Amino acid sequence: MKKVVILGAGNVATHLIRAFQASPETKVVQLYNHDATRLKDFEKEVATTTNLSKLAEADFYLLALKDDAIKEVVKKMPLTGGIVMHTSGGKSIKVLSKFEHYGVFYPLQTFSRSREVNFREIPLCLEANSPTTLLRMEALARCISENIYEIDSEQRKALHVAAVFANNFTNHLYGMASDICARNGVEFEILRPLIKETAAKVEVLSPAEAQTGPALRGDKQTIKTHLKLLKRSEKKIYKRLTSSIRKFHGKKL
Amino acid sequence: MKKVVILGAGNVATHLIRAFQASPETKVVQLYNHDATRLKDFEKEVATTTNLSKLAEADFYLLALKDDAIKEVVKKMPLTGGIVMHTSGGKSIKVLSKFEHYGVFYPLQTFSRSREVNFREIPLCLEANSPTTLLRMEALARCISENIYEIDSEQRKALHVAAVFANNFTNHLYGMASDICARNGVEFEILRPLIKETAAKVEVLSPAEAQTGPALRGDKQTIKTHLKLLKRSEKKIYKRLTSSIRKFHGKKL
């Protein structure tokens, strides 16, 4: 049985706890959080502590913390023979270098407390300070996911930016679309099948192959009509993305 | 049996033909296209013509044409007692006003020739020149889809712009993410579960509720790190969308 201590009680920590508790090969032996109120929801499932000097013995210590909190928690954590890992896409592996065995255990997914996710489909991006540590981390990762990748700190940084485009910015475009609908008395739900298919298409086609629309076609008349309907801030984004699509596909507007 | 003539042989026409032929209540009695070579693929399934003066008798004439081609085809089409409709998100219903019964039959989806779609899930946005025509169009639409909306020309224009954000621009963001991955030796497939979940989230949450990331959090350090990894054109889009997210959620950067 692989023993895991989780540090943090946010969305990532919540989903990791569920995934490890669901696996027959892993057990979350303790949950740490600096704020006791956040621990209340978990007390029935797992032992909890707010004291870093009272961390339980474990094979793995998983810091599922906000980027800003990692440094402080690492500083206060006692040394351990277990493998200490963080889950951050943006932080280097080096922030953990005071430990003997350490690594990064980055699940590339967007987590909401209220939404169940199938953890087995989530890509886990691993980096370790040694080949032995990597092997042990891979064994842990395989208990909860089928998509395991070895990704170094530089690659992970790039992946983190790419994820901002594919998730945060994409969701914001949905938000703008929703706003345009609301202003014109149209239900946003009409767009939902389109959003679903847009995402499904890139499961089988490359985004370049899947591109369509007035920007790609160079349909100036439609673009002009569209701009008239937009607010100033939306216009700027519409123009910027339209010209970016043209350039991306080697065309001139 | 509702008889339908389809005009056009592109992606939308192809999917409409399949949907109508699959329904026991509708039959495509003829397919028109100005270019005979495009008709070859359909000759086994349906009667074809390249001559607008030889259009078959039908209850519905569906112009699934490029926006630019609609005007010319309408001009050359003989008058008819059937209902004449176009499938364009961007064109007004008025372009069909020479006919007695006319309307718009706009399927809000992104179509690729190579990808099967479940037409029953596709929202059909209808507009008609009279209540009677609308009822007859609704009866036709119900044969192939379960999502039918009455949408006027102004609303449809707004929906068409919103669709550009939710589909064309979103797909372009996937393209940029894919580029960032390629430059850094990371496989784009690692992002696919994230893309899928981002789209799935807005099936149950509003885009505003689903928003996450460094822009929303105001995490300047991460934003700075990200900008360093980007090309000039990507930087501009990153900055523009980051500040748009801040404004959208009533925050200052």
Side-chain angles (χ1 to χ4, degrees):
Chain A
M1 181 66 73
K2 296 172 178 63
K3 292 184 193 170
V4 184
V5 169
I6 306 269
L7 298 94
N11 291 337
V12 178
T14 305
H15 287 279
L16 281 169
I17 291 168
R18 281 184 203 150
F20 284 124
Q21 296 297 59
S23 163
E25 297 164 73
T26 56
K27 185 174 171 56
V28 179
V29 293
Q30 193 184 40
L31 173 63
Y32 158 85
N33 198 56
H34 75 289
D35 177 2
T37 57
R38 297 293 294 275
L39 291 171
K40 286 230 170 85
D41 294 342
F42 301 93
E43 276 168 357
K44 281 178 194 162
E45 305 168 55
V46 57
T48 62
T49 183
T50 57
N51 191 340
L52 282 172
S53 59
K54 289 186 179 164
L55 288 184
E57 277 293 310
D59 305 299
F60 299 94
Y61 295 83
L62 200 38
L63 281 63
L65 302 161
K66 279 187 195 142
D67 282 10
D68 301 343
I70 294 175
K71 206 174 161 185
E72 193 61 23
V73 169
V74 167
K75 210 168 133 187
K76 288 183 187 162
M77 262 180 80
L79 291 175
T80 164
I83 297 175
V84 182
M85 306 170 290
H86 71 64
T87 59
S88 165
K91 287 280 166 190
S92 164
I93 191 175
K94 289 179 196 159
V95 296
L96 302 171
S97 59
K98 84 169 210 187
F99 300 103
E100 197 181 341
H101 313 292
Y102 57 95
V104 180
F105 193 95
Y106 170 47
L108 186 63
Q109 189 48 285
T110 170
F111 296 100
S112 304
R113 202 172 282 264
S114 59
R115 243 184 96 73
E116 281 301 322
V117 287
N118 180 359
F119 221 99
R120 299 216 70 79
E121 289 178 3
I122 294 177
L124 291 176
C125 304
L126 308 184
E127 182 180 10
N129 75 316
S130 77
T132 325
T133 302
L134 185 65
L135 282 176
R136 289 175 61 200
M137 283 173 58
E138 277 173 359
L140 178 72
R142 267 198 296 275
C143 297
I144 57 170
S145 173
E146 275 148 26
N147 294 316
I148 296 160
Y149 297 88
E150 194 190 343
I151 296 286
D152 68 29
S153 287
E154 278 310 302
Q155 288 175 318
R156 195 173 58 254
K157 259 193 226 169
L159 208 43
H160 196 242
V161 192
V164 166
F165 281 82
N167 168 252
N168 305 160
F169 291 166
T170 289
N171 184 73
H172 182 53
L173 292 182
Y174 301 160
M176 296 177 77
S178 163
D179 234 34
I180 295 165
C181 287
R183 283 209 303 276
N184 292 279
V186 182
E187 291 165 81
F188 176 62
E189 64 160 40
I190 306 185
L191 288 174
R192 288 203 168 111
L194 179 69
I195 286 172
K196 201 174 157 188
E197 173 67 9
T198 305
K201 257 190 175 182
V202 295
E203 301 262 321
V204 288
L205 301 174
S206 74
E209 289 165 333
Q211 191 66 50
T212 57
L216 184 72
R217 289 197 307 274
D219 180 347
K220 287 183 192 176
Q221 190 49 51
T222 299
I223 292 169
K224 223 170 128 185
T225 314
H226 283 176
L227 287 170
K228 275 186 204 154
L229 282 160
L230 298 175
K231 292 195 300 190
R232 202 166 147 261
S233 55
E234 292 162 350
K235 265 194 188 86
K236 283 184 193 168
I237 289 170
Y238 188 102
K239 283 183 186 171
R240 175 71 65 203
L241 287 170
T242 292
S243 89
S244 178
I245 289 172
R246 302 288 300 161
K247 271 182 211 152
F248 198 83
H249 292 270
K251 295 179 179 184
K252 281 182 186 173
L253 201 60
Chain B
M1 181 68 72
K2 297 172 179 65
K3 291 184 194 170
V4 185
V5 169
I6 306 270
L7 296 95
N11 292 337
V12 177
T14 305
H15 287 280
L16 281 169
I17 292 167
R18 280 183 203 151
F20 284 124
Q21 296 298 57
S23 163
E25 297 164 72
T26 56
K27 184 170 171 57
V28 179
V29 293
Q30 194 184 38
L31 173 64
Y32 159 85
N33 198 54
H34 75 287
D35 177 2
T37 55
R38 296 295 291 276
L39 290 172
K40 287 232 170 84
D41 295 343
F42 301 95
E43 276 167 358
K44 281 179 195 160
E45 305 169 58
V46 60
T48 62
T49 183
T50 57
N51 189 341
L52 282 172
S53 59
K54 289 187 179 163
L55 288 184
E57 277 293 308
D59 306 300
F60 299 94
Y61 296 82
L62 201 38
L63 281 64
L65 302 162
K66 279 186 198 146
D67 283 10
D68 300 342
I70 294 174
K71 208 174 161 185
E72 193 61 22
V73 169
V74 167
K75 211 168 132 188
K76 289 184 188 161
M77 260 180 83
L79 291 175
T80 165
I83 297 174
V84 183
M85 306 171 291
H86 72 64
T87 59
S88 164
K91 286 282 165 189
S92 165
I93 190 175
K94 288 178 196 160
V95 296
L96 302 171
S97 60
K98 84 168 208 186
F99 300 103
E100 195 181 341
H101 312 292
Y102 57 96
V104 180
F105 194 95
Y106 171 47
L108 186 64
Q109 188 50 284
T110 170
F111 296 100
S112 305
R113 204 172 280 264
S114 59
R115 244 184 96 73
E116 282 300 322
V117 288
N118 180 359
F119 221 100
R120 298 215 71 79
E121 289 177 3
I122 294 179
L124 290 176
C125 304
L126 307 184
E127 181 180 10
N129 75 315
S130 77
T132 323
T133 304
L134 185 64
L135 282 175
R136 290 176 60 200
M137 285 173 56
E138 278 174 0
L140 178 72
R142 268 197 298 273
C143 298
I144 57 170
S145 172
E146 275 149 24
N147 293 315
I148 296 161
Y149 297 89
E150 194 191 341
I151 296 286
D152 69 29
S153 286
E154 278 310 301
Q155 288 175 317
R156 194 175 57 256
K157 259 192 226 167
L159 209 43
H160 196 239
V161 192
V164 166
F165 281 83
N167 169 251
N168 304 160
F169 291 167
T170 290
N171 185 73
H172 182 53
L173 293 183
Y174 301 160
M176 296 177 77
S178 163
D179 234 34
I180 295 165
C181 286
R183 284 209 302 276
N184 291 279
V186 183
E187 291 166 82
F188 176 63
E189 64 160 43
I190 307 186
L191 287 174
R192 288 205 167 109
L194 179 69
I195 286 172
K196 200 174 159 188
E197 173 68 8
T198 304
K201 255 190 175 180
V202 294
E203 301 262 320
V204 288
L205 302 173
S206 74
E209 288 165 334
Q211 190 65 51
T212 57
L216 184 73
R217 289 197 308 273
D219 181 347
K220 288 184 193 176
Q221 190 50 51
T222 299
I223 292 168
K224 221 170 130 184
T225 314
H226 284 177
L227 287 170
K228 274 184 206 155
L229 283 159
L230 298 175
K231 292 196 299 190
R232 200 166 149 262
S233 55
E234 292 163 348
K235 266 196 186 86
K236 283 185 191 166
I237 289 171
Y238 188 103
K239 283 183 185 170
R240 174 72 65 200
L241 287 170
T242 292
S243 89
S244 179
I245 289 171
R246 303 290 299 163
K247 272 182 208 150
F248 199 83
H249 292 268
K251 295 177 178 184
K252 282 182 187 170
L253 201 61

